[in-house]
Amino acid sequence: MQKIAAIIVAAGEGMRLPGDRPKAYRLFCGKPLWQHSFGVFKAHAAIGRLVLVANPAHREWLGEQEFVPGGATRQESVANGLAALAENPPEVVLIHDAARPFVDAALIDRVIEALAAGHPAVVTAVTVKDTIKQVAEGRVTTPNRHELYAAQTPQGFDYGLIAALHSNSASTEATDDAQLAEWAGVAVHLVSGDERNKKITTPEDLPMTPRTGMGFDVHRLIPGDGVWIGGVKIPCEWKLEGHSDADAGLHALTDAILGAVALADIGQHFPPSDPQWKGADSSLFLAHAAKLAAEKGAQIQHCDLTIICEKPKIGPYREAMRARIAEILALPMDAVSVKATTTEGLGFTGRGEGIAAQAVVTVLQ
Ligand code: MG
């Protein structure tokens, strides 16, 4: 079918989703919410023209992106998008809400196939799994679940039909476009939607993305009265040399957390040149990194620390380290792993000149 256009509606305020920007511009998997569905339609070979309808007050979030200014209601916004196509009208148009980022090509195909088969109004919908209760004038009734469907977008229409319905509609209360067709007595054809094609309304609807950070640190062993490593002091005739307590294990973990949320490194947050960190307990660094991560909305899921040294023996202190790290990060013990290895006598760790530590941290953000 020739001349298929699509309209992506992103003009809402998205007030139910708190944050520093309107819902359509919230970052999800590294890009603004609206770009997810926009990208799927743009990549679809059958879609010849694509119109983004956005709120002109949100121009700062759109950068160079061209858009059609939205109206006060969703219905007005769609009408503006349809009007933008009027000069060179397409045969059919798909209308999609940007708040549904999980739309895929197969769903678009189903709508286009139904339009090509001659249906003038096509709605995607899924069956309702819950028993729905209807409450009217204090009386509860139960509609037949097998007759109920939850409507999604995209919805597809004969362009001339939907443009006329929008321009002639006196009411602005339609919550989707198919409703205008229903009111006009047009037979609406239902095609199978997709359970994954969820609408993002509240923060809980926005899935979190896993992110991984890694850290590495080395400190020199010198004569002393004990080695601080992994948050535990191991009594022995050495210590680690450094500005703070030189706990290479907690430093590697701190860098791994900062890495997972892309917040630079431990040296930037706690400069060795700053006298306030002289002899500091490194648990302060780790707790601060965890606080910064939490402020960015990240939840630490797991951390894994490997201590690389010939001396002192780590094994007897491993469980104490896990408990201390779990305490600092407020994690359950089974989310904290501590391992130890030697380098078979090779290199600086093999010669007992220092201790190296590597850490990996996984967060959900
Ligand atoms: Mg260090």
Side-chain angles (χ1 to χ4, degrees):
M1 184 185 289
Q2 295 301 305
K3 300 187 74 177
I4 303 174
I7 296 171
I8 308 294
V9 190
E13 287 291 339
M15 299 303 277
R16 279 177 289 179
L17 204 63
D20 63 347
R21 59 190 77 185
K23 178 170 72 176
Y25 309 98
R26 285 283 289 264
L27 292 184
F28 167 52
C29 289
K31 59 184 180 184
L33 196 60
W34 70 269
Q35 281 186 11
H36 288 265
S37 53
F38 189 85
V40 172
F41 279 87
K42 196 170 184 180
H44 196 290
I47 307 290
R49 293 160 72 193
L50 187 55
V51 170
L52 176 71
V53 183
N55 187 331
H58 301 160
R59 192 180 297 272
E60 62 173 308
W61 304 107
L62 283 159
E64 299 293 300
Q65 175 64 44
E66 274 184 39
F67 68 95
V68 170
T73 63
R74 181 188 180 281
Q75 198 176 329
E76 280 181 40
S77 294
V78 173
N80 291 356
L82 290 165
L85 293 166
E87 218 166 279
N88 177 20
E91 288 175 17
V92 297
V93 61
L94 276 66
I95 301 169
H96 182 71
D97 289 329
R100 293 187 189 269
F102 304 110
V103 62
D104 63 11
L107 197 50
I108 295 170
D109 285 342
R110 289 204 283 280
V111 176
I112 292 174
E113 279 164 21
L115 291 166
H119 298 287
V122 178
V123 57
T124 50
V126 292
T127 54
V128 173
K129 294 194 171 58
D130 296 319
T131 296
I132 303 292
K133 298 292 177 187
Q134 187 166 16
V135 185
E137 291 167 2
R139 191 176 136 79
V140 177
T141 54
T142 307
N144 182 353
R145 185 157 64 87
H146 302 291
E147 292 178 356
L148 296 176
Y149 289 83
Q152 300 185 333
T153 67
Q155 299 183 356
F157 303 92
D158 174 90
Y159 174 79
L161 169 76
I162 196 69
L165 290 174
H166 267 281
S167 61
N168 295 336
S169 174
S171 163
T172 55
E173 290 183 6
T175 54
D176 71 357
D177 304 290
Q179 202 170 357
L180 292 178
E182 294 156 26
W183 287 343
V186 176
V188 172
H189 182 72
L190 202 141
V191 298
S192 180
D194 190 326
E195 293 289 346
R196 291 166 299 184
N197 182 32
K198 279 196 315 181
K199 187 171 184 177
I200 305 299
T201 307
T202 65
E204 294 75 39
D205 295 333
L206 211 54
M208 297 182 97
T209 322
R211 296 173 64 132
T212 303
M214 63 176 286
F216 177 74
D217 197 31
V218 170
H219 281 271
R220 183 187 296 275
L221 276 171
I222 57 172
D225 65 348
V227 166
W228 275 102
I229 186 81
V232 170
K233 190 173 185 182
I234 302 180
C236 57
E237 64 258 42
W238 311 287
K239 68 172 188 172
L240 286 170
E241 184 183 38
H243 189 67
S244 63
D245 65 10
D247 187 329
L250 296 195
H251 293 183
L253 278 170
T254 302
D255 261 353
I257 292 172
L258 294 172
V261 291
L263 277 179
D265 59 26
I266 191 170
Q268 179 156 330
H269 294 278
F270 308 100
S273 56
D274 188 336
Q276 71 167 308
W277 307 123
K278 185 162 171 52
D281 177 343
S282 294
S283 67
L284 294 176
F285 304 160
L286 186 58
H288 187 68
K291 181 167 166 277
L292 292 174
E295 284 168 6
K296 284 196 87 176
Q299 297 171 1
I300 299 172
Q301 300 297 301
H302 169 260
C303 63
D304 183 18
L305 173 65
T306 303
I307 298 165
I308 306 160
C309 63
E310 214 71 36
K311 64 182 189 187
K313 282 274 165 273
I314 300 299
Y317 301 93
R318 185 211 309 262
E319 292 308 300
M321 291 178 189
R322 289 180 65 206
R324 178 65 183 133
I325 293 163
E327 180 185 26
I328 298 165
L329 295 177
L331 288 175
M333 276 281 275
D334 66 3
V336 178
S337 160
V338 174
K339 312 193 298 296
T341 187
T342 70
T343 50
E344 302 286 337
L346 298 168
F348 70 86
T349 53
R351 292 188 295 272
E353 294 168 6
I355 295 180
Q358 291 179 332
V360 173
V361 166
T362 307
V363 303
L364 287 177
Q365 189 180 22

